[in-house]
């Protein structure tokens, strides 16, 4: 079976082809021009998706050696994300599926991330603990099987990636600043500034707005004293902030490892590209004797390979969808049961 996956929920247009279970292409086109605005401009994002999607499809088919009429299944992200951006990929995918007379599967972007570990040679084993850390979401989940996902906790304010990007902005870095925080942190002292870690009612929930405010106060106080942030101070702030974020994530993950008898642990989403976080989760998993699955960097950020994989699984599980499925901006209330109304 040849599966075509399309992702366009934010500022990456991506097209992937899976042929007989093997990933043949996973092309990602990032809209770097948003950097000059300090964040993603939805209207510009939609237009850029529209411009690139057809040439990207042609390139992906060429790379995979599969022709369009050999495609048996078309999948695309339906949400959550930017509506205009989602509609480009979703409408394109529906049009393709209709013209090819093949089934179409809408995929929840976060589910794409949750199962992205299956793109690796060493796959997660059910039940597994999944820590989703992206620009829009922070979730700690118990993934029992393909269709049973229990939410243990989530962020009550900012997502981890959002916190990285906002702190990066305070330090004068371009959007998205997560990777630059990591780079500056390498040269800084993580123990130089003590930033707070939130304690919450639900022990598995996260909160990063207090940490973000603490960084802002610190930056303002340094600027008041010296006028500017020098490179050394930026490195120390980045290192101390990153340490606080990782500690917060580790504390909750450890609690869950103690309470739930899981076989593996998977760290996914854009922030899963963060090297010290990958190392910390790996160490934690090893200490608990769990299999640790963290996708390669090309499957951490937004990509169509994870969408194609999840769409293919839903199809194999027997879910069928009509063409009137539409895009959704937010995570549905009954997100993890969002396939109940399939045909
Ligand atoms: O999953 P993703 O590509 O998009 C969403 O679905 O949100 O995640 C993007 C986020 C951005 O906030 C970006 O700054 C962050 O991932 N990120 C990182 C790193 N690489 C990307 N954060 C920390 N360290 C990194 N190395
Ligand atoms: Zn994402």
């Amino acid at each position: 079976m040849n599966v075509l996956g399309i992702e366009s929920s934010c500022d990456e247009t991506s097209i992937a082809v899976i042929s007989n279970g093997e990933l043949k292409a996973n092309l990602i086109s990032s809209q770097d021009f948003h950097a000059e605005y300090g964040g993603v401009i939805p209207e510009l994002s939609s237009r850029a998706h529209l411009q690139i999607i057809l040439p990207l499809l042609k390139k992906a088919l060429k790379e995979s050696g599969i022709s369009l009429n050999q495609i048996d299944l078309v999948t695309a992200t339906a949400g959550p994300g930017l509506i205009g951006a989602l509609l480009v990929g979703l409408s394109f995918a529906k049009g393709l599926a209709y013209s090819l007379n093949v089934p179409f599967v809408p995929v929840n972007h976060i589910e794409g991330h949750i199962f992205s570990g299956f793109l690796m040679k060493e796959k997660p084993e059910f039940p597994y603990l999944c820590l989703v850390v992206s620009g829009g979401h922070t979730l700690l989940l118990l993934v029992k099987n393909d269709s049973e996902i229990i939410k243990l906790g989530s962020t009550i304010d900012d997502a981890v990636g959002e916190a990285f990007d906002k702190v990066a902005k305070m330090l004068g870095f371009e959007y998205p600043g997560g990777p630059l925080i990591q780079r500056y942190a390498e040269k800084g002292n993580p123990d130089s500034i003590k930033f707070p870690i939130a304690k919450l009612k639900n022990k598995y929930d996260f909160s990063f707005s207090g940490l973000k405010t603490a960084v802002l106060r610190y930056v303002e106080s340094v600027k008041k004293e010296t006028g500017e942030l020098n490179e050394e101070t930026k490195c120390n702030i980045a290192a101390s902030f990153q340490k606080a974020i990782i500690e917060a994530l580790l504390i909750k993950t450890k609690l869950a490892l103690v309470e739930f008898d899981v076989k593996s642990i998977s760290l996914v989403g854009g922030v899963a590209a963060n090297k010290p976080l990958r190392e910390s989760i790996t160490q934690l998993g090893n200490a608990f004797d769990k299999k640790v699955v963290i996708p390669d960097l090309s499957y951490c950020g937004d990509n169509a390979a994870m969408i194609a994989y999840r769409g293919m699984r839903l199809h194999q599980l027997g879910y069928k969808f009509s063409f009137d499925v539409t895009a959704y901006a937010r995570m549905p209330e009954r997100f993890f049961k969002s396939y109940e109304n399939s045909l």
Side-chain angles (χ1 to χ4, degrees):
M1 186 169 67
N2 297 320
V3 185
L4 184 74
I6 298 177
E7 154 65 31
S8 70
S9 65
C10 191
D11 55 348
E12 260 97 27
T13 321
S14 180
I15 302 204
V17 178
I18 295 179
S19 177
N20 297 326
E22 197 186 322
L23 183 66
K24 295 284 187 185
N26 180 36
L27 301 186
I28 303 166
S29 168
S30 296
Q31 303 170 0
D32 299 330
F33 60 83
H34 294 292
E36 68 181 276
Y37 305 101
V40 178
I41 310 289
E43 175 65 20
L44 295 183
S45 168
S46 316
R47 288 171 191 230
H49 284 303
L50 209 48
Q51 275 182 341
I52 196 78
I53 201 159
L54 187 57
L56 202 64
L57 170 69
K58 288 181 177 164
K59 219 170 148 189
L61 290 172
K62 196 169 172 201
E63 193 175 305
S64 56
I66 308 270
S67 63
L68 194 55
N69 56 19
Q70 288 177 299
I71 295 293
D72 305 298
L73 179 72
V74 181
T75 71
T77 306
L82 303 171
I83 281 292
L86 287 164
L87 279 172
V88 174
L90 192 67
S91 310
F92 186 78
K94 285 200 275 188
L96 266 181
Y98 188 75
S99 66
L100 294 170
N101 198 22
V102 298
F104 161 73
V105 178
V107 172
N108 181 303
H109 179 84
I110 304 302
E111 288 188 15
H113 279 302
I114 294 168
F115 294 96
S116 58
F118 286 87
L119 293 163
M120 302 297 293
K121 208 162 158 237
E122 280 297 321
K123 303 177 190 323
E125 281 171 44
F126 295 120
Y128 67 91
L129 204 62
C130 188
L131 184 59
V132 184
V133 281
S134 77
H137 298 89
T138 305
L139 296 158
L140 187 58
L141 309 163
L142 179 62
V143 187
K144 289 190 157 180
N145 53 49
D146 264 300
S147 46
E148 232 183 316
I149 305 163
I150 314 281
K151 185 168 109 179
L152 304 177
S154 61
T155 181
I156 59 161
D157 39 58
D158 291 345
V160 180
E162 211 176 338
F164 265 99
D165 294 339
K166 285 178 180 166
V167 166
K169 206 170 180 177
M170 293 173 205
L171 302 184
F173 305 155
E174 271 196 347
Y175 175 88
L180 265 177
I181 296 260
Q182 180 187 317
R183 207 175 326 144
Y184 269 70
E186 281 161 14
K187 290 175 273 165
N189 174 4
D191 300 313
S192 55
I193 313 155
K194 186 103 187 86
F195 287 130
I197 295 171
K199 282 207 176 74
L200 298 149
K201 218 162 132 204
N202 170 6
K203 62 179 176 177
Y204 294 124
D205 275 348
F206 304 93
S207 166
F208 300 108
S209 74
L211 169 60
K212 186 186 65 189
T213 310
V215 176
L216 181 64
R217 291 228 178 89
Y218 187 86
V219 168
E220 280 170 353
S221 73
V222 175
K223 279 188 177 169
K224 213 168 156 190
E225 258 175 52
T226 60
E228 271 302 318
L229 290 178
N230 63 32
E231 290 298 290
E232 189 189 345
T233 312
K234 283 186 188 176
C235 292
N236 285 338
I237 294 174
S240 305
F241 162 77
Q242 186 177 262
K243 185 186 173 190
I245 288 265
I246 294 176
E247 260 181 40
L249 294 171
L250 282 184
I251 290 169
K252 314 287 165 137
T253 311
K254 194 173 170 183
L255 282 175
L257 280 173
V258 171
E259 185 170 343
F260 301 97
D261 188 18
V262 292
K263 289 225 170 70
S264 24
I265 168 164
S266 193
L267 172 72
V268 301
V271 186
N274 185 274
K275 204 167 160 238
L277 176 60
R278 295 170 80 90
E279 288 165 356
S280 305
I281 291 288
T282 304
Q283 273 173 14
L284 181 70
N286 289 342
F288 277 78
D289 212 11
K290 305 294 176 196
K291 184 176 186 179
V292 180
V293 181
I294 308 176
D296 287 348
L297 296 199
S298 51
Y299 311 133
C300 286
D302 292 343
N303 68 89
M306 66 182 193
I307 303 303
Y309 176 79
R310 180 60 177 159
M312 182 178 75
R313 279 303 290 151
L314 289 169
H315 178 74
Q316 287 167 345
L317 291 166
Y319 291 101
K320 290 184 171 47
F321 301 89
S322 86
F323 281 101
D324 53 21
V325 172
T326 192
Y328 50 93
R330 303 195 144 268
M331 195 101 105
E333 195 55 24
R334 291 162 61 73
F335 162 59
F336 297 117
K337 290 187 176 175
S338 58
Y339 301 109
E340 269 180 356
N341 57 359
S342 73
L343 298 173

